[in-house]
Amino acid sequence: MHRRKFLTIAALSGLVPACGSGSDSASRSSQAALDFRNPLRVPPLLHPKPGKDGVRRFELSMQAGRTRILPGRQTPTWGFNGGFLGPTLRAGRGDKVQMAVHNRLPEVSTVHWHGMRLPARMDGGPHQPIEPGAVWTPHWTIDQPAATSWYHPHPHGTTAQHVYRGLAGMFILDEDLDLDLPGDYGVDDFPLILQDKRFAADGSFDGDPLKGTFGILGDHVLVNGTYNPHLSVTTERVRFRVLNGSNARMYTLVFADKRRFHVIANDGGLLGAPVEVEAISLTPGERAEIVVAFAPGEQVVLRTADNGVDIGEGDFDLLKLVAAGTLKPAPGVPARLAPLTPITAPAGATVRRFKLSGHDAINGRGMDMTRIDEVVPAGAVEIWEIENNVYSHNFHIHEVAFQVLDVDGSAPPAYATGYKDTVYVPAKSVVRLAVRFGGYSDPASPYMYHCHILRHEDSGMMGQFVIVEPGTESQVNRTIPARSGHTGHSGH
Ligand code: C2O
Ligand code: CU
Ligand code: CU
């Protein structure tokens, strides 16, 4: 019954769920299993040290720890500046930032700034490894609209394991737009990082993120690393910055009472105008900002509804919101948000086609770190067409902002028409994107595009592109020499 109801919503909102292809041992429901006894953890804001040159310097330490997630159990976890997950970073448009990322793990890793527009050498993909004991110090100037982005490891072949163990954090970008929106972090503006896990009897994370069709589809959904959480609401409206930080699971977020709420932003920033919905879907890597209204004294549960899709099976309660008897006034939702300029491909724009095959290849080829797959002129707007003949995938492109033109010829739901960097590619479908590339050219350092189901990314469903000065495309050496005794100190 629940499921049929949702399918109706999905159909109405233009989201077309494909039939499930049978996923790997996903438990189907946690409904009624939670009593919401744990206060929701809110990742602390990491305050940068301002240098004399005005550069804001952030220190991150990748480290192992033990975390109490289930009652009476200690889970071995990894985190940034703590045992699990990471602090929230925050910077404004025009800020110069410098990171110092210390790897105190026993393995090589990297840190990628997902959603950030920056030079490829600062991107933190597989070509910027940080050896155990080393420090990586990338720096760049924030030059993009306000957005909810995030950071996570990206070492080729072990991203799934590193993220599953807990390495992920939010990176909030601000911009002075003179918009009255809830924006007081930890008061009326909260991150919600959604991650599903499986647990062994001793409390350790269970499951192999590189097994089966999708790797991990867990039966416990954590919010900001908290299982079974509640959040006390003190204001009439609350903004939630929702990040799907899961290895494979897709969420379809609804409130138990089916209340409507406003979507105000996608991955890459604010929408032109808020979109009122009853449900939104997010695949791994995608973000949305929503604003929800509360009445004094009420309680409501946020949940994910089974959407009939292979990676979205199961109903799970996520978080109980408990409103105080008296609520402080909060800003409303302005009728106009950002001055969103549509990304429009010029006549005769380059069209590139990417065919996702199985779980480990794009256009018939697996990821090869020594091969440049695509060469794009700086500042170009292109059409990228993603074709998927099998089960669910999604598609993420580093560095860019794109807008979804259509999914199998139909417009995307209104709430997903803003700037994005990650998009769901349903089974047996074609998704077309208008992609705007940035201006940092470097023929020797590639950015990645890949499926953000981490099992697929690690298995080779990833390719590499470089951005070059327009007119120099044909001069690019398509082969990257294999790395020779690199240092952990790149980025200067
Ligand atoms: Cu969030 Cu290439 O990744
Ligand atoms: Cu990315
Ligand atoms: Cu995939």
Side-chain angles (χ1 to χ4, degrees):
M1 177 205 92
H2 197 120
R3 176 165 165 149
R4 199 171 71 213
K5 180 88 175 266
F6 171 69
L7 289 175
T8 313
I9 298 165
L12 286 174
S13 66
L15 181 93
V16 189
C19 280
S21 72
S23 61
D24 315 291
S25 59
S27 288
R28 310 240 351 147
S29 180
S30 75
Q31 214 78 289
L34 305 186
D35 61 10
F36 309 103
R37 69 174 62 203
N38 299 316
L40 179 74
R41 288 177 204 170
V42 179
L45 280 173
L46 180 61
H47 295 287
K49 298 185 190 123
K52 20 181 168 10
D53 43 6
V55 174
R56 295 158 67 87
R57 198 159 186 278
F58 293 90
E59 297 259 355
L60 288 173
S61 165
M62 309 171 84
Q63 58 198 69
R66 297 176 75 76
T67 307
R68 191 161 172 270
I69 301 171
L70 299 182
R73 306 277 149 83
Q74 293 286 332
T75 305
T77 50
W78 285 4
F80 292 95
N81 300 4
F84 194 35
L85 297 175
T88 297
L89 310 187
R90 192 155 198 171
R93 192 163 196 164
D95 284 353
K96 290 181 169 35
V97 298
Q98 171 145 44
M99 306 294 164
V101 186
H102 302 251
N103 182 355
R104 300 194 164 97
L105 298 169
E107 288 177 33
V108 64
S109 193
T110 84
V111 176
H112 166 56
W113 320 104
H114 180 135
M116 201 70 67
R117 315 204 65 175
L118 38 49
R121 284 186 311 125
M122 313 299 175
D123 191 43
H127 292 276
Q128 287 87 41
I130 318 170
E131 297 291 340
V135 187
W136 179 53
T137 52
H139 53 88
W140 69 94
T141 300
I142 306 287
D143 185 18
Q144 64 189 89
T148 296
S149 62
W150 65 302
Y151 60 99
H152 64 78
H154 213 303
H156 187 47
T158 48
T159 295
Q161 190 58 261
H162 289 196
V163 172
Y164 189 59
R165 286 179 180 152
L167 289 169
M170 212 168 245
F171 200 147
I172 296 175
L173 299 179
D174 300 306
E175 183 176 16
D176 276 329
L177 285 176
D178 209 18
L179 272 177
D180 205 15
L181 280 167
D184 198 352
Y185 187 83
V187 177
D188 61 9
D189 181 348
F190 294 91
L192 298 180
I193 303 174
L194 308 180
Q195 296 176 307
D196 59 332
K197 307 286 180 188
R198 277 190 246 153
F199 290 90
D202 65 356
S204 58
F205 290 141
D206 200 9
D208 182 345
L210 294 181
K211 263 217 179 106
T213 310
F214 299 112
I216 300 285
L217 281 169
D219 52 8
H220 289 65
V221 183
L222 312 187
V223 185
N224 300 343
T226 324
Y227 185 58
N228 199 12
H230 69 268
L231 175 67
S232 301
V233 167
T234 61
T235 55
E236 288 169 352
R237 266 170 297 277
V238 177
R239 173 187 195 162
F240 294 107
R241 300 171 185 266
V242 190
L243 158 65
N244 183 345
S246 302
N247 282 55
R249 181 173 288 284
M250 172 181 189
Y251 299 92
T252 294
L253 300 172
V254 287
F255 287 91
D257 63 0
K258 302 283 188 283
R259 75 180 52 198
R260 299 175 73 79
F261 54 93
H262 286 98
V263 180
I264 59 166
N266 294 159
D267 313 330
L270 292 164
L271 293 161
V275 177
E276 196 185 321
V277 296
E278 186 176 311
I280 56 166
S281 292
L282 293 176
T283 59
E286 288 185 286
R287 290 87 68 206
E289 295 178 32
I290 63 173
V291 175
V292 187
F294 294 94
E298 71 170 348
Q299 304 194 346
V300 65
V301 171
L302 175 66
R303 59 173 50 146
T304 180
D306 190 318
N307 53 24
V309 166
D310 45 14
I311 52 172
E313 291 177 346
D315 299 302
F316 296 91
D317 285 347
L318 303 175
L319 172 68
K320 185 189 212 168
L321 299 147
V322 181
T326 317
L327 296 175
K328 295 190 197 84
V333 180
R336 307 293 322 160
L337 296 168
L340 189 94
T341 321
I343 300 175
T344 318
T350 301
V351 179
R352 298 183 204 251
R353 296 193 170 81
F354 300 88
K355 195 164 171 175
L356 309 178
S357 33
H359 67 268
D360 57 3
I362 299 178
N363 291 337
R365 305 194 291 197
M367 163 74 170
D368 180 344
M369 287 192 45
T370 68
R371 185 188 70 226
I372 303 290
D373 297 281
E374 305 292 336
V375 177
V376 177
V381 176
E382 301 189 345
I383 307 285
W384 281 30
E385 200 175 286
I386 324 299
E387 184 185 342
N388 172 12
N389 290 322
V390 281
Y391 36 78
S392 284
H393 290 297
N394 76 2
F395 201 79
H396 168 51
I397 312 175
H398 287 207
E399 200 284 329
V400 308
F402 61 68
Q403 283 182 292
V404 182
L405 293 173
D406 47 60
V407 178
D408 271 341
S410 310
Y415 72 76
T417 52
Y419 295 155
K420 291 182 61 57
D421 56 53
T422 308
V423 63
Y424 180 42
V425 187
K428 311 225 182 331
S429 71
V430 178
V431 174
R432 290 194 322 129
L433 310 173
V435 188
R436 186 195 287 142
F437 293 84
Y440 300 107
S441 54
D442 182 347
S445 298
Y447 297 100
M448 306 294 130
Y449 53 87
H450 56 91
C451 178
H452 218 290
I453 293 174
L454 302 181
R455 192 264 188 274
H456 301 172
E457 172 182 345
D458 274 348
S459 309
M461 186 170 271
M462 178 153 69
Q464 312 196 97
F465 70 99
V466 289
I467 296 182
V468 302
E469 282 302 318
T472 66
E473 292 91 319
S474 61
Q475 297 154 32
V476 171
N477 183 350
R478 296 287 196 123
T479 306
I480 302 176
R483 206 150 49 81
S484 55
H486 74 285
T487 81
H489 297 260
S490 52
H492 278 296

